[in-house]
């Protein structure tokens, strides 16, 4: 590097060596300070209970069984067998399979548009098409009205499946399945029913989703009783949750065969015992 002023040659070499020595020492001190700062930051994170930097391992290919060494990540250790997540076993959740095609198909014969004279019939080629149809119908029950000789009025009785409802059981089942099983919101479900021609208001839809479900609650209570009777052991847990706009707790009682949930305002031992003894 050129000097801005004249320096004797013997002093130039000495000055350059001092600059290089100082630069090297400064770089070493900077590296030590960076390492010290990193250690202090990790200690601060630990004392504050914060998450540290993630330890991300390099993406290296797995070694063959013949090349794996004891102590490597591929070695499961003595007495521990590494589970192959690619193959399902008895602990793996079973995947749903495609259902079979509907039986008793509706047969529609289709002939060619133009059949030349003298053509010979050679049978049928089958081509299946699955279809789903949504139809809305109004069933008008005409309840006969009779008057007895004593002056009492008697009427025809509605089927049990529609008593207390102005919507049939198939429609009510569809509404419950869409909302609870498929996660469709009330507004989206209401618009979907309107698009299909169902005359229903937002209040009537809300009543179908929230009222007159005593049979489902009874089935839920029977689930806990049946599970306690048949399962050899139980797993329990409590977690905070909001219920009807209030802070509360959700208690889980279950096993690999069943799961039961209960919402309460407490997670005390007495609360757990009262839930365990239901109904």
């Amino acid at each position: 590097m050129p000097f801005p002023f004249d320096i004797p040659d013997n002093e130039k070499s000495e000055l350059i060596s001092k600059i290089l020595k100082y630069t090297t020492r400064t770089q070493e001190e900077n590296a030590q300070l960076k390492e010290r700062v990193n250690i202090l930051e990790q200690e601060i994170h630990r004392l504050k209970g914060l998450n540290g930097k993630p330890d991300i391992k390099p993406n290296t290919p797995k070694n063959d069984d013949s090349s794996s060494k004891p102590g490597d990540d591929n070695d499961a250790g003595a007495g521990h067998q590494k589970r192959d997540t690619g193959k399902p076993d008895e602990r793996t959740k079973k995947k749903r399979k495609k259902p079979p095609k509907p039986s008793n198909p509706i047969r529609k014969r289709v002939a060619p548009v133009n059949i030349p004279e003298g053509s010979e019939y050679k049978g049928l080629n089958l081509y299946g098409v699955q279809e789903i149809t949504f139809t809305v119908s109004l069933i008008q029950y005409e309840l006969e009205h009779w008057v007895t000789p004593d002056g009492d009025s008697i009427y025809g009785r509605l089927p049990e499946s529609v008593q207390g409802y102005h919507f049939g059981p198939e429609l009510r089942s569809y509404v419950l399945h869409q909302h609870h099983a498929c996660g469709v919101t009330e507004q989206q479900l209401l618009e979907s029913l309107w698009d299909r021609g169902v005359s229903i208001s937002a209040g009537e839809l809300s009543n179908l989703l929230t009222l007159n479900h005593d049979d489902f609650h009874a089935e839920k209570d029977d689930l806990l009783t049946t599970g306690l009777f048949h399962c050899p052991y139980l797993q329990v847990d409590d977690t905070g949750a909001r219920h009807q706009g209030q802070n509360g707790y959700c208690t889980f009682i279950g096993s690999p065969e069943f799961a039961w949930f209960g919402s309460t305002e407490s997670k005390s031992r007495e609360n757990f015992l009262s839930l365990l003894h239901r109904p």
Side-chain angles (χ1 to χ4, degrees):
M1 57 177 288
F3 288 91
F5 48 86
D6 294 335
I7 299 177
D9 294 338
N10 57 347
E11 294 182 3
K12 285 183 180 180
S13 60
E14 184 179 356
L15 183 59
I16 291 174
S17 63
K18 288 182 179 180
I19 293 175
L20 294 176
K21 184 177 180 180
Y22 177 78
T23 303
T24 304
R25 186 177 64 181
T26 303
Q27 292 176 351
E28 293 177 354
E29 291 178 353
N30 288 337
Q32 294 176 0
L33 290 175
K34 289 181 179 180
E35 184 178 0
R36 181 62 178 170
V37 169
N38 187 22
I39 295 174
L40 293 176
E41 287 181 349
Q42 294 180 2
E43 183 66 15
I44 292 173
H45 279 73
R46 186 186 67 81
L47 294 175
K48 288 186 176 181
L50 303 177
N51 295 329
K53 293 183 179 180
D55 184 13
I56 302 177
K57 297 181 180 180
N59 187 12
T60 56
K62 294 183 179 180
N63 297 329
D64 297 334
D65 296 337
S66 59
S67 61
S68 61
K69 297 180 181 179
D72 292 345
D73 293 339
N74 294 334
D75 186 13
H80 297 278
Q81 185 178 0
K82 198 169 183 180
R83 181 184 173 190
D84 185 6
T85 57
K87 297 180 180 179
D89 55 15
E90 66 277 359
R91 294 174 294 179
T92 304
K93 185 178 179 180
K94 295 182 179 179
K95 295 182 179 180
R96 297 186 61 182
K97 296 183 179 179
K98 182 180 70 172
K101 292 183 179 181
S103 58
N104 300 325
I106 301 175
R107 300 187 179 275
K108 294 184 177 181
R109 180 170 295 192
V110 181
V113 177
N114 295 319
I115 303 178
E117 186 177 356
S119 301
E120 184 179 0
Y121 176 73
K122 291 294 185 179
L124 299 172
N125 292 333
L126 300 181
Y127 186 86
V129 176
Q130 298 185 60
E131 181 61 285
I132 185 171
T133 304
F134 290 94
T135 58
V136 180
S137 59
L138 176 63
I139 303 175
Q140 190 75 43
Y141 289 97
E142 299 175 351
L143 305 180
E144 296 184 0
H145 178 199
W146 292 73
V147 179
T148 64
D150 299 334
D152 298 332
S153 296
I154 55 176
Y155 299 89
R157 185 177 179 82
L158 288 170
E160 186 177 358
S161 60
V162 297
Q163 290 183 10
Y165 297 97
H166 288 284
F167 302 95
E170 294 294 334
L171 177 56
R172 302 200 307 270
S173 300
Y174 173 77
V175 167
L176 293 175
H177 178 268
Q178 289 293 302
H179 182 68
H180 295 288
C182 300
V184 182
T185 64
E186 289 191 33
Q187 182 62 33
Q188 292 175 337
L189 183 55
L190 180 64
E191 294 180 359
S192 175
L193 294 174
W194 284 354
D195 292 340
R196 290 178 170 85
V198 180
S199 179
I200 185 173
S201 66
E204 290 173 328
L205 177 60
S206 179
N207 291 336
L208 292 180
L209 295 174
T210 57
L211 301 181
N212 300 325
H213 296 324
D214 295 338
D215 293 339
F216 293 104
H217 296 296
E219 182 179 354
K220 176 174 175 287
D221 293 335
D222 293 340
L223 175 65
L224 178 60
T225 305
T226 306
L228 294 176
F229 181 77
H230 290 283
C231 295
Y233 68 93
L234 295 175
Q235 295 172 313
V236 298
D237 190 17
D238 290 300
T239 184
R242 289 182 63 83
H243 180 63
Q244 295 182 352
Q246 301 294 328
N247 292 330
Y249 299 93
C250 179
T251 302
F252 160 77
I253 303 176
S255 71
E257 285 76 22
F258 82 101
W260 182 90
F261 299 88
S263 298
T264 57
E265 299 178 355
S266 172
K267 58 180 299 184
S268 64
R269 179 180 176 85
E270 294 180 357
N271 173 71
F272 168 72
L273 292 177
S274 64
L275 295 177
L276 190 63
H277 292 163
R278 284 186 180 180

